[in-house]
Amino acid sequence: LADASAVFTWAIKNDKVPNNPCRGLEYNPPNPRGRVLSDAEVPAVWAAFNSYGPCSGSALKMILLTGQRPGEVRHMRWEHIIGRWWCMPGKPDEALDWPGTKNTHDHRVWLSEPAWALLLDIGPQKEGFVFHTASGKASYDLPKVMRRITERLSLRSSLTPHDLRRTNGTTITRLGYGRDAMNRIQNHIEGGIADIYDRYGYEKENIAIMEAVAAEFMKILGADCATAA
């Protein structure tokens, strides 16, 4: 509304329009979304993912297990998996159809036992999208899948892929690792002098967090790491 009003204000000053239609309109600030899956919802939603196969269903499982952004998981590539680490380049790569990370920073994610089992169930392969269509393109419309699952399970409110990421982050803090750990795992850049002086990679800590969070989800699912995928 503010942007549109500015355009019309400029247009009035330059004799393009007689008035500003934005004046008098009520401004309704957006409310930040805070939806996370409850422990009771996780098993039902996870089971529903199985109906959408290794393309969309497995991609949604990976979002929950790793807490990474849906767009990055959707474009996850075998070329970026080195050992048990998913190494995301910060910059886009047009040749690989890789969008880059949201903040353009390189980011490494440890693949926990359940996440690794999920990949082994699909591949492994040497190149291409991990979660791909029959034509080799990146996975389908994940928000649409989540809407269908919401309707199928008659959940109290709609779900989005980002809610899975939020559920992962909430689990990190609920287990006592703190918000700094959550930001580090989910590649949130807070900035400030600490980013300049703290060059420690937190490799051991990140591995411990990812394994603990995945184990918590497996506990909620009532499954072990070998069978959860």
Side-chain angles (χ1 to χ4, degrees):
L1 179 59
D3 290 342
S5 182
V7 170
F8 281 107
T9 297
W10 174 89
I12 290 171
K13 291 180 178 179
N14 290 273
D15 298 322
K16 304 295 184 180
V17 296
N19 53 61
N20 186 344
C22 296
R23 288 179 181 172
L25 293 179
E26 183 178 355
Y27 175 66
N28 297 306
N31 294 319
R33 184 176 172 88
R35 179 79 158 93
V36 297
L37 275 68
S38 68
D39 287 357
E41 289 175 325
V42 169
V45 172
W46 183 277
F49 290 158
N50 293 329
S51 299
Y52 295 91
C55 179
S56 298
S58 295
L60 291 166
K61 288 182 179 181
M62 187 63 72
I63 296 172
L64 182 63
L65 290 172
T66 64
Q68 302 311 298
R69 295 181 176 90
E72 293 164 358
V73 172
R74 180 172 172 265
H75 289 87
M76 187 179 192
R77 297 191 65 94
W78 292 107
E79 293 94 329
H80 296 157
I81 298 173
I82 302 174
R84 287 276 296 277
W85 292 94
W86 176 19
C87 302
M88 287 183 268
K91 303 296 183 183
D93 186 335
E94 292 186 5
L96 294 179
D97 193 17
W98 166 249
T101 61
K102 183 178 180 179
N103 57 25
T104 72
H105 287 235
D106 293 348
H107 185 49
R108 286 204 317 163
V109 178
W110 176 255
L111 297 170
S112 64
E113 288 293 337
W116 187 246
L118 191 63
L119 292 185
L120 292 180
D121 190 55
I122 297 172
Q125 300 175 20
K126 293 184 178 180
E127 60 183 23
F129 292 115
V130 174
F131 310 109
H132 60 82
T133 64
S135 61
K137 295 182 179 180
S139 60
Y140 294 116
D141 187 350
L142 299 183
K144 181 183 293 185
V145 172
M146 291 300 286
R147 288 194 297 271
R148 290 175 177 173
I149 289 175
T150 298
E151 295 173 358
R152 174 180 170 183
L153 299 178
S154 300
L155 298 178
R156 57 185 173 84
S157 61
S158 62
L159 288 175
T160 70
H162 203 85
D163 294 337
L164 303 174
R165 169 174 162 87
R166 191 178 295 107
T167 301
N168 177 282
T170 300
T171 303
I172 291 175
T173 56
R174 179 161 60 90
L175 292 177
Y177 290 104
R179 186 165 292 182
D180 287 343
M182 181 196 71
N183 288 333
R184 186 174 69 245
I185 293 294
Q186 298 199 340
N187 199 20
H188 293 147
I189 303 299
E190 294 188 345
I193 196 70
D195 286 345
I196 298 174
Y197 286 97
D198 187 0
R199 298 298 183 181
Y200 179 57
Y202 295 95
E203 182 173 295
K204 292 181 180 179
E205 292 84 350
N206 289 351
I207 292 174
I209 292 169
M210 297 302 286
E211 294 292 355
V213 170
E216 179 68 10
F217 284 131
M218 296 302 102
K219 177 181 176 183
I220 294 170
L221 290 170
D224 59 39
C225 297
T227 62

